[in-house]
Amino acid sequence: MTLAWDPDRYLAYADERGRPFVDLVGRVAAVDPQVVVDLGCGPGNLTSLLADRWPAATITGVDSSDAMIRAASDSSAAERVAFHRADLREWLGAAPRAGVDVLVSNATLQWLPEHLDLMPALVRAVRPGGWLAFQVPGNHDQPSHTLRAELAAEPPYAAHTAGAAAPHAHGAAVYLRALQALGCEVDAWETTYLHVLHGQDPVFAWVSCTGARPTLQALPDDLRTGFEDELKARLRAAYPDEGHGVVLPFRRIFVVARTP
């Protein structure tokens, strides 16, 4: 099933989602890159930061979602960034070898189960001495994900949600070793952010436009509301609001590699 992403819902927590991107790009020491590519650019708001960082570079944003590319193309970022719709794997197959100075991918690779096998292709897309930088969520063992998976496995939902896409990532050391084996100099680290969220059922609002979205889309209309209500209740119990907002711990895994 092709996923339909919602740019407006995704941007509801733009500041929280943008902070890891800023922390990632801040560790890329490229001085004057000519070609910069953002794989999985989403609505383009973060890709525009690459144009701020390297104003002389040609910046390209790539995403597989029609809705995301439309939103990016309609944004002010389109004045400085070229946005294209393509699957990441298709882009890697068509990209000129060693044609990119800085290749960035933010919270995208976790949707590709085989993404560790893509490391050689990602490195090949970057010129010698260039930069590959990516960030993936590392919180898939947390209630924000496990509660959704548990509920989805229960009747009557299981018949519809079996096989729905779910994000997955490896630990920082796994990526470090894989890229070292390809001759890269690698800086890999992990950070757990404590996001303070407000509003009604904010954790559900967060996951409903990211990790839980494939599950929600897999459900028929007559079951989706009941699933959402039960998931909200379970998330409220796991993430209580004690009067100062709901605290959502969010582990992120970062990798910055200099190609050989």
Side-chain angles (χ1 to χ4, degrees):
M1 180 181 65
T2 301
L3 296 179
W5 298 102
D6 187 331
D8 292 332
R9 295 185 70 178
Y10 184 83
L11 289 170
Y13 294 106
D15 289 344
E16 291 87 352
R17 297 190 195 282
R19 184 174 170 187
F21 183 91
V22 173
D23 291 347
L24 174 70
V25 175
R27 298 285 277 271
V28 176
V31 176
D32 188 25
Q34 300 302 301
V35 179
V36 177
V37 176
D38 182 7
L39 290 179
C41 64
N45 59 308
L46 297 177
T47 315
S48 67
L49 300 180
L50 300 177
D52 294 337
R53 171 79 181 274
W54 297 296
T58 298
I59 313 289
T60 302
V62 178
D63 202 282
S64 63
S65 166
D66 286 328
M68 289 294 194
I69 289 298
R70 283 196 299 270
S73 298
D74 290 340
S75 71
S76 60
E79 298 175 2
R80 300 180 296 163
V81 179
F83 292 104
H84 301 291
R85 197 205 69 79
D87 180 87
L88 184 150
R89 291 158 293 197
E90 295 172 354
W91 183 90
L92 284 173
R97 185 181 178 91
V100 179
D101 296 297
V102 177
L103 183 58
V104 176
S105 185
N106 182 66
T108 297
L109 294 177
Q110 74 274 7
W111 290 108
L112 305 176
E114 78 286 8
H115 69 262
L116 194 62
D117 297 332
L118 295 177
M119 294 297 132
L122 289 165
V123 171
R124 284 195 300 270
V126 180
R127 69 165 179 81
W131 299 85
L132 167 65
F134 62 87
Q135 176 270 127
V136 289
N139 66 333
H140 306 126
D141 60 346
Q142 295 299 299
S144 55
H145 287 271
T146 59
L147 292 175
R148 183 264 312 156
E150 292 167 4
L151 180 59
E154 297 175 7
Y157 310 118
H160 303 279
T161 59
H168 172 73
H170 304 278
V174 174
Y175 297 117
L176 182 144
R177 293 303 185 194
L179 289 165
Q180 283 182 329
L182 296 171
C184 297
E185 299 176 10
V186 187
D187 180 14
W189 71 97
E190 301 179 6
T191 298
T192 298
Y193 299 90
L194 298 180
H195 298 308
V196 181
L197 309 180
H198 300 277
Q200 186 174 7
D201 294 309
V203 178
F204 176 81
W206 181 290
V207 301
S208 67
C209 59
T210 52
R213 191 162 182 82
T215 298
L216 296 174
Q217 282 191 243
L219 291 167
D221 293 343
D222 61 329
L223 291 179
R224 188 178 300 114
T225 299
F227 182 94
E228 290 180 346
D229 289 343
E230 178 59 25
L231 182 55
K232 288 176 183 178
R234 297 187 187 190
L235 289 171
R236 284 195 298 269
Y239 299 95
D241 187 341
E242 298 178 352
H244 302 283
V246 173
V247 177
L248 175 66
F250 203 125
R251 174 173 166 253
R252 301 273 186 173
I253 299 161
F254 299 83
V255 180
V256 174
R258 188 91 186 265
T259 58

